[in-house]
Amino acid sequence: MVEYGVVKINKDSKLYKFIIRPPLWLLITIWVLALFAVAACITLYFLRLGTEPWALIVYAVALALFILSVYGVLAVVGVPERASGSIKIRKFFTDYGFRATVYAAGSVIFNTLYVAFGVLIAVLEHSPWLGALVGYHVFLAGARAVIFIFVKNYGKEDGELYRLRAYTYCGVALAMLALAFLPVIRLVIDDRNSYRYFVSTVTYVSAIALYTFIKLGVSVHNFRKAHKTDDMSLIAIKNISLADALITLFALQATMLKELGNTVLGFTLNPSTGGLIALVIFGLGMYMFVMGMRRIRKFKIGYYAEPDSGVADASAQNAAPPPDDCSDAPPPAADKPAPTPVPAPPPAAVDLDADCENSSELSDVK
């Protein structure tokens, strides 16, 4: 039994073994069906049948088979079996910051694929609107990629400094993202935000609306949750996600107003909403840059670093105590009083008569 957070998995169960090592005949069947599904999607596009309501079912089946095919390739290589006992897998379920970093990596991959797909469709459809969205996704992927430039240094002794740098540079990337968003607003104002959808307009708008509101709700929740922590790189990731959700909301509004045919409301609402969102994103990016630079400066002067106790003790021992009359140290002992000198004895009395007699005797001897 292996426990991942609150999920317990029995490795001896048949279901676990089936998921980790699916049968080869099943994988071959999935791969063949996926090839047919992709071919069907391409055929529908070139036959101009992609906007039919039933075409959405074909796209959904193709997407599901594609995901299962990718997993099948990983299962053949043995990735799920090796990953089941990995420490990083357990960390993914227990560490919120690590899990957010993994999600950000997935977002970078998604943005990159969207750019490749968008460039292809923009060229085929001659759509400046889709081309502008591709440019926006390039800057969005760049803002998220900044995190992974520094993530390998998070475990070092000065890992907090690298997190602060990631936070600061993400602020610059967000400001650039706001500038890259301006051509999108301009195309909306010029009523050039359109291209031919694969599905019907109602289906497309409904799907985008559902995706947008779920994305916005999750982004706001994660934004509030991340700002309760002290992990600056995590805060940067969630700030980028919130900016992405706001721009997605604007794209949904522009599409709905255009398809509804309300050009008067769109001419008034789209520029104001787009300008406000661009201003919010630019202000958020500049705030991150200024606050990041301040914290980096404080970190470098030791504001966040704890002093080394060994060095501090040695310095305290070698330093002379400052003169302080209020010190708790005991006062120095007072000098003992000098011993009282003992007076010398008085000289003995001299007998003058005896001296005279002695002198007379000496003269007789001579």
Side-chain angles (χ1 to χ4, degrees), residues 160-169 232 292 295-296 299:
E160 181 63 23
L161 178 60
Y162 288 98
R163 293 178 185 272
L164 292 173
R165 287 176 177 173
Y167 177 83
T168 305
Y169 296 153
M232 303 306 295
R295 294 201 176 196
I296 289 176
F299 183 89

Side-chain angles (χ1 to χ4, degrees), residues 134-273:
V134 168
Y136 149 73
H137 276 273
V138 169
F139 283 93
L140 181 62
R144 284 172 169 153
V146 171
I147 299 295
F148 301 100
I149 298 176
F150 301 96
V151 70
K152 62 181 179 180
N153 299 312
Y154 287 172
K156 295 184 179 180
E157 183 179 357
D158 55 347
E160 181 63 23
L161 178 60
Y162 288 98
R163 293 178 185 272
L164 292 173
R165 287 176 177 173
Y167 177 83
T168 305
Y169 296 153
C170 279
V172 178
L174 271 185
M176 296 177 63
L177 179 65
L179 298 178
F181 180 53
L182 296 179
V184 177
I185 302 175
R186 181 63 183 179
L187 288 174
V188 171
I189 296 175
D190 294 341
D191 196 21
R192 301 174 65 186
N193 56 320
S194 63
Y195 59 94
R196 189 166 58 86
Y197 308 120
F198 286 109
V199 294
S200 63
T201 303
V202 176
T203 304
Y204 175 80
V205 172
S206 301
I208 293 299
L210 179 62
Y211 166 77
T212 300
F213 289 117
I214 293 176
K215 181 177 182 179
L216 183 62
V218 173
S219 299
V220 172
H221 171 73
N222 290 333
F223 178 84
R224 297 178 58 186
K225 186 176 181 179
H227 279 262
K228 294 179 181 179
T229 67
D230 295 329
D231 190 342
M232 303 306 295
S233 62
L234 175 62
I235 295 175
I237 291 174
K238 299 310 176 183
N239 287 352
I240 295 173
S241 298
L242 180 63
D244 184 23
L246 291 176
I247 294 179
T248 305
L249 181 63
F250 171 77
L252 172 64
Q253 172 193 289
T255 303
M256 292 181 65
L257 291 177
K258 180 178 179 62
E259 298 303 330
L260 291 175
N262 196 337
T263 56
V264 177
L265 181 61
F267 185 78
T268 306
L269 193 59
N270 286 333
S272 57
T273 304

Side-chain angles (χ1 to χ4, degrees), residues 268-323:
T268 306
L269 193 59
N270 286 333
S272 57
T273 304
L276 180 61
I277 290 177
L279 185 61
V280 169
I281 295 175
F282 185 82
L284 179 61
M286 294 308 299
Y287 172 81
M288 291 172 61
F289 174 74
V290 173
M291 291 301 298
M293 292 300 296
R294 288 182 179 179
R295 294 201 176 196
I296 289 176
R297 185 165 57 251
K298 291 179 180 180
F299 183 89
K300 288 183 177 180
I301 64 176
Y303 184 83
Y304 292 104
E306 296 181 357
D308 191 350
S309 57
V311 176
D313 294 342
S315 302
Q317 292 177 1
N318 296 331

